[in-house]
Structures are given as structure tokens and as C-alpha cells.
Amino acid sequence: MKLRKGKNTEIELGGQESFLDLVSNIVGILIILVMVAGIRAQYSSAEVAPEQAFADAAMLVQLETQYQELQTKAEHAANLRVNIEELEIQSEIIAEQVYLQSMEYAALFDLMTSVRAEIELAAEAKSQALKDKIECQRRLMEIQAKLEQIDQAKNHLQQIRPKATVLENTPTSLSQMVETKEIHVRLLGGRVVYVPLDEFTSQLRGHVGAEQHRYAKQPTHAGKIGPIDHFEMEYILATRHIPVPGGIETRIGLQYGEIVPMYEPLGQPLHQALASPQSEFCRKLAAFQKHLYTVTVWVYPDSFEEYQELKQFLQVQGYSVAARPMLLGHPIGISPHGTRSSTQ
């Protein structure tokens, strides 16, 4: 009988010696039975001497005793044989269980190795995500700090910005606030150019409406739109949260804006712009109805004389005229806190 150990190892069991003992005992029992049968036949066929009979009787008793002992041993050997067979069966069952458990252990070990590898990858990914988050927070803080600096600079510019004054044609004329729509032109270096301020305002309004959810999360936002007619607009938006019945209303509005030329010089010399109805300036001007619009001239110190000529031309054409004197080097700025133009 062989017992499997693991997958390939086998162990031999020693049941052969017990089996040989059983055979020997059975042979001994048969010999004793033959002797007993012979003695009984002798007593039945003839009479023997008393001494011989006594000796034979004693031998018979001894033989019967030995017979009983041998029979007991034979039964014991048979029981041992049965026990050995049962043990062999149990050994095979145990060996099979050990083999199955070893296979299960190997599978569990492979699974544990795979899970450990996944845990390590997940921990590494989490660590990288945390690093990315910290970096994004750092960059956000830098951007917010820059925005605050820009906001402070714009507020400072607004504080030192001179108030607009009205150029009067005659000492006796009176000025009044512009209530109509405005056409904005710039007069710098003797050149006149149309300024698309209303177009920028409309474009900015649409841009804010499209990006309202993103801008609502920031107190201020700086950006740029354009170009339109060779100008760009740089702006700062401010977000306000106003309590209203039933909740909080978020409003996003322009805090400050500048109309910046893409290059210089821009526009036409004034005498060329006014010489022909087909000039770029006159064609721009003709697109606006005279009774609905006032022409606001952003005039710089080097063009005050040209302004008088331009004002006279516009008034002859039927337009109301308003002037906004500017300092050299200062771009055209707009703000909800600024002043309205005045016309004569």
C-alpha cells in the first residue's frame, strides 16, 4: 500500500509482515486439529494403558488450550488486518486533503500577491494625486496674489486719474450731460481714429454671460478680448454676492477696463480724414444717425488745435460733440464709477 505525499512523493506501508503472521497462525491451527483428530481416532479404535491415556488426555488439553490461543491470535490478526486497511484508506483521504489544501494555499498566495500589488499601485496613485492637488493650490494662491496686485494698481490709477474737463467753444456756452448714445473717437498725434468702445462692451457682456459659472467662484478676474478695429480691451471683472429676499444673488460686472491699441500710430491724419466722404473715418461716422448719437472725442494734449477743427466739422455735419481730455501715455479707460461725457 502506498500513500501520496504532496504531489509526487509516495510512502510504503508495512502491512505484509502482519499478513504472513496470520498465515502462519492458521497453518499452526490446522496442524493442531490434525493431531487432535488423530488422538481421538486412536481412543476410538483401541484401548490404551491408563498412563498413556492420562498423558494423551493432558496433551489433548494442552493442544486444545494452544488451539484456543491460536484462534484468539488469528481473530486478533484478522482485526489488525481490517484496521490496517481502514488506516490505509484514511491515509489516502488525508493525503488527498493535504494535496487539495496545498493547491488552495498556492491559489490564496497568488491572490494575496496580486492584491498587494494593486494596493501598492493605488497608494502610489493617491500620493501623486495629493502632490498634484498641493501644486494646484499653490498656483491658485499665486494667481490670486497677482490678481490682488493688479486690482490695487487699477484702484490706484483710478484715484490719480484726472477728472474730465469740457472744452468750450465759446466762454458763454453751457455744457450738459450726454443723454444720447455715443460715438467714440480718439485724437492723438494729429490723427483721428474710431474707437469701438460699444462693441467691446457688448462683446464683454456676452463673454461674461457664457462664463458666468466660472467667474462666480472668483472675487475678481482679469482678461482680454478683441481685437476689434486694431484695438484690444483689457478688463477686470468683480463678483458681488448681494442678499435678496429668498437667498443670495451673484452679480458679475466690470470693475475697470482699458482700450489698448495694438500698434501705433493708428488712424488717419485729421486733414485727410475730413477731406473726403470716402475716408475710413467718414465712412464709420456715416453709419450712425445724427439725431441719436453724440460724438465723444478722447483728445490728447498734442491735438488740442486739431480738436477745434474736428469739432467744427462734426457740428456742421449735425452731430453733438463732447470732449474728454487725456494725459499722454494714458489709454482710454472705462469704469462703472467714471463720469459721463458733457456736450455743448
Side-chain angles (χ1 to χ4, degrees):
M1 188 65 186
K2 295 182 181 180
L3 175 65
R4 180 171 58 193
K5 182 179 181 182
K7 295 183 179 181
N8 301 318
T9 306
E10 296 182 348
I11 300 176
E12 295 185 358
L13 298 177
Q16 297 180 355
E17 294 179 358
S18 299
F19 179 75
L20 294 176
D21 292 340
L22 177 61
V23 173
S24 300
N25 291 334
I26 293 174
V27 172
I29 292 172
L30 292 176
I31 294 173
I32 293 172
L33 289 176
V34 170
M35 293 177 62
V36 170
I39 293 172
R40 286 182 178 178
Q42 184 179 0
Y43 277 107
S44 62
S45 59
E47 295 182 356
V48 294
E51 296 82 4
Q52 183 67 32
F54 180 78
D56 293 337
M59 182 178 294
L60 180 61
V61 172
Q62 183 179 1
L63 290 173
E64 289 179 353
T65 300
Q66 292 179 355
Y67 171 76
Q68 294 294 332
E69 291 176 358
L70 290 173
Q71 189 174 12
T72 301
K73 290 182 177 180
E75 293 175 356
H76 181 66
N79 292 332
L80 287 176
R81 178 64 181 175
V82 172
N83 291 337
I84 289 171
E85 291 177 354
E86 292 177 354
L87 288 174
E88 290 176 349
I89 294 174
Q90 292 179 1
S91 297
E92 291 183 349
I93 294 174
I94 291 173
E96 187 68 21
Q97 292 178 351
V98 169
Y99 174 75
L100 293 177
Q101 288 180 355
S102 65
M103 295 295 293
E104 183 177 359
Y105 174 80
L108 290 174
F109 181 82
D110 292 340
L111 179 60
M112 182 184 68
T113 303
S114 177
V115 171
R116 181 178 298 173
E118 292 179 358
I119 291 174
E120 292 177 354
L121 290 176
E124 184 177 355
K126 183 178 179 181
S127 177
Q128 185 62 38
L130 180 59
K131 292 179 181 178
D132 294 342
K133 181 179 179 181
I134 293 174
E135 178 64 19
C136 289
Q137 290 177 346
R138 184 188 65 80
R139 294 180 60 186
L140 179 61
M141 292 177 63
E142 291 179 354
I143 293 173
Q144 289 178 345
K146 291 180 180 179
L147 289 176
E148 290 177 358
Q149 293 177 357
I150 294 174
D151 187 45
Q152 293 175 359
K154 296 300 183 183
N155 290 335
H156 178 69
L157 289 175
Q158 290 181 5
Q159 292 175 1
I160 66 175
R161 173 186 171 192
K163 294 183 178 180
T165 58
V166 179
L167 293 178
E168 299 179 353
N169 189 28
T170 60
T172 58
S173 61
L174 299 176
S175 64
Q176 59 182 359
M177 302 300 295
V178 174
E179 299 295 337
T180 60
K181 298 180 181 180
E182 295 182 81
I183 306 168
H184 296 272
V185 298
R186 189 191 72 170
L187 194 56
L188 172 64
R191 291 175 173 268
V192 63
V193 63
Y194 170 78
V195 180
L197 197 150
D198 290 340
E199 289 85 341
F200 277 122
T201 303
S202 177
Q203 183 175 346
L204 180 62
R205 187 180 297 110
H207 179 70
V208 172
E211 300 292 336
Q212 183 174 6
H213 296 290
R214 181 165 64 93
Y215 293 160
K217 300 177 182 179
Q218 304 174 1
T220 59
H221 178 81
K224 180 190 295 185
I225 57 176
I228 302 177
D229 290 341
H230 309 293
F231 285 92
E232 292 180 332
M233 178 178 180
E234 298 177 355
Y235 63 88
I236 296 179
L237 301 177
T239 301
R240 294 182 300 163
H241 302 284
I242 302 174
V244 297
I248 300 295
E249 181 178 354
T250 301
R251 295 181 182 178
I252 303 172
L254 178 67
Q255 183 174 356
Y256 182 77
E258 289 183 351
I259 309 301
V260 181
M262 297 180 64
Y263 59 88
E264 293 288 5
L266 272 181
Q268 295 175 291
L270 183 62
H271 66 277
Q272 292 182 5
L274 304 183
S276 172
Q278 300 302 320
S279 68
E280 181 179 358
F281 174 75
C282 288
R283 284 190 285 107
K284 283 281 187 181
L285 194 64
F288 301 93
Q289 298 182 21
K290 302 174 183 180
H291 65 283
L292 296 178
Y293 288 88
T294 296
V295 179
T296 298
V297 182
W298 301 78
V299 57
Y300 288 81
D302 61 356
S303 301
F304 284 159
E305 293 182 2
E306 286 82 358
Y307 168 74
Q308 297 299 327
E309 181 181 355
L310 176 61
K311 178 181 177 182
Q312 184 178 2
F313 172 83
L314 293 173
Q315 289 177 342
V316 170
Q317 297 295 323
Y319 291 95
S320 298
V321 181
R324 280 189 173 270
M326 299 291 293
L327 294 177
L328 284 175
H330 285 215
I332 298 174
I334 57 176
S335 169
H337 308 293
T339 59
R340 297 180 63 86
S341 301
S342 298
T343 183
Q344 297 176 349

